[in-house]
Amino acid sequence: MASVLELTDVSFVRNRNRILDSISWTVDEADRWVILGPNGAGKSTILQLASASTHPTSGTVEVLGERVGKVDVFELRTRIGLAATGLARRIPAHERVGDVVLTAAYAVTGRWRERYESFDLERAAEVMDAWDLTELSTRTFGTLSDGERKRVQIARAVMTDPELMLLDEPAGSLDLGARESLLESLADYASSSLAPAIVMVTHHVEEIPPGFTHAMLLGEGRIQAAGPLEEVLTDANLTATFGVPLQVQHEDGRWRARAKRS
Ligand SMILES: Nc1ncnc2c1ncn2[C@@H]1O[C@H](COP(=O)(O)OP(=O)(O)O)[C@@H](O)[C@H]1O
Ligand SMILES: [Mg+2]
């Protein structure tokens, strides 16, 4: 199986603060990973590295067979789908939803003078249908609810038919109904044999979509455990990562965790 992402002994230091420490991690093309860990653990920083948005202080990052730092990152980034809050902030509030999705074909936000092929228009229509956005296509981004915005961000990432999909807390701040319907869409997407490798960051085991295969537990910049979901999501591993006694349950493809009763 081909690996799409390979971090080797990666450290990331800012202001003398070791944000990531000796991370070695491989993602294969059929993998669907979730990265779990408390606030400030370094989860978003890993996605920044995986999307070639930043460079490691030491160690190497290989994305889609290319060593970050040695290739044209602009070309590489068009092969990666990233849905993160920081990116959403750069989407102009007055931009129409249809254009937010379509402009992903050029890795830009804000429609300007690009010429779109009919192929791009058809693809945008198909993606908006899959992510329940067709009815919102003429609305402006600024008028959407949080849940609708998350869908648009993911559709934008899907639009380019990426070889690696990175999702930073896609279900964060959603209400129960919006969360559940987003998880259903993510599970559908992840179950397709045509879907790319996926890495999704979350704080909650409840947000792991059915069909995901692997988990990394990250605490204070270090990997606490990584591997197949069933091996990693144990009471002991979650307790060590989050620093409180936790017990975890797995039922019908979904996960739940809560404080262990003494
Ligand atoms: N560019 C940066 N400069 C300084 N500190 C940073 C930078 N990026 C992240 N950090 C710090 O690194 C830690 C990990 O950040 P982050 O990866 O966003 O964590 P998470 O996504 O797990 O909450 C945090 O303490 C954050 O404040
Ligand atoms: Mg984060």
Side-chain angles (χ1 to χ4, degrees):
M1 210 184 296
S3 75
V4 293
L5 181 61
E6 188 152 7
L7 273 59
T8 308
D9 204 16
V10 163
S11 294
F12 187 82
V13 179
R14 284 290 180 275
N15 308 331
R16 295 204 209 124
N17 190 2
R18 195 163 281 269
I19 293 162
L20 294 175
D21 190 11
S22 313
I23 302 284
S24 291
W25 178 48
T26 304
V27 174
D28 285 330
E29 60 190 2
D31 292 354
R32 283 88 176 88
W33 279 83
V34 61
I35 302 180
L36 283 154
N39 272 320
K43 304 180 297 296
S44 296
T45 305
I46 289 193
L47 291 197
Q48 294 295 309
L49 291 164
S51 58
S53 307
T54 190
H55 293 216
T57 308
S58 61
T60 61
V61 176
E62 272 200 21
V63 188
L64 304 172
E66 309 282 2
R67 170 94 165 261
V68 173
K70 292 204 167 162
V71 289
D72 172 6
V73 285
F74 197 77
E75 194 273 333
L76 185 57
R77 280 182 204 148
T78 63
R79 299 168 60 197
I80 302 165
L82 173 67
T85 315
L87 217 69
R89 280 194 219 107
R90 293 209 291 274
I91 297 174
H94 62 264
E95 177 123 333
R96 288 166 63 237
V97 168
D99 287 337
V100 176
V101 175
L102 184 62
T103 53
Y106 282 79
V108 294
T109 57
R111 198 158 171 182
W112 183 232
R113 294 221 177 111
E114 317 83 18
R115 286 184 188 281
Y116 291 93
E117 310 285 340
S118 62
F119 168 83
D120 293 325
L121 296 167
E122 279 162 29
R123 171 91 186 136
E126 187 185 291
V127 168
M128 296 218 293
D129 183 47
W131 293 86
D132 283 338
L133 293 169
T134 309
E135 286 185 4
L136 298 175
S137 69
T138 57
R139 286 264 299 276
T140 56
F141 189 70
T143 65
L144 301 183
S145 72
D146 276 354
E148 291 162 344
R149 282 176 199 220
K150 299 270 183 189
R151 278 180 185 283
V152 172
Q153 284 170 66
I154 296 171
R156 193 178 144 82
V158 170
M159 173 67 192
T160 56
D161 216 353
E163 293 160 69
L164 173 63
M165 174 65 100
L166 306 169
L167 303 165
D168 200 351
E169 297 187 41
S173 84
L174 298 189
D175 67 47
L176 182 57
R179 179 189 87 178
E180 288 301 303
S181 80
L182 184 73
L183 288 187
E184 211 171 305
S185 302
L186 282 171
D188 280 351
Y189 179 65
S191 70
S192 162
S193 60
L194 296 175
I198 304 173
V199 179
M200 169 181 154
V201 164
T202 175
H203 289 123
H204 302 289
V205 298
E206 287 77 3
E207 293 174 358
I208 302 174
F212 270 53
T213 59
H214 290 76
M216 176 203 288
L217 298 182
L218 194 67
E220 296 178 354
R222 293 208 186 93
I223 294 181
Q224 309 290 322
L229 276 180
E230 285 79 5
E231 288 171 27
V232 168
L233 296 185
T234 62
D235 294 359
N237 283 342
L238 286 171
T239 296
T241 303
F242 286 92
V244 282
L246 293 170
Q247 62 185 37
V248 63
Q249 284 175 302
H250 185 204
E251 199 179 17
D252 294 335
R254 295 289 299 272
W255 296 83
R256 266 186 297 168
R258 60 181 172 153
K260 195 171 256 171
R261 277 195 230 132
S262 42

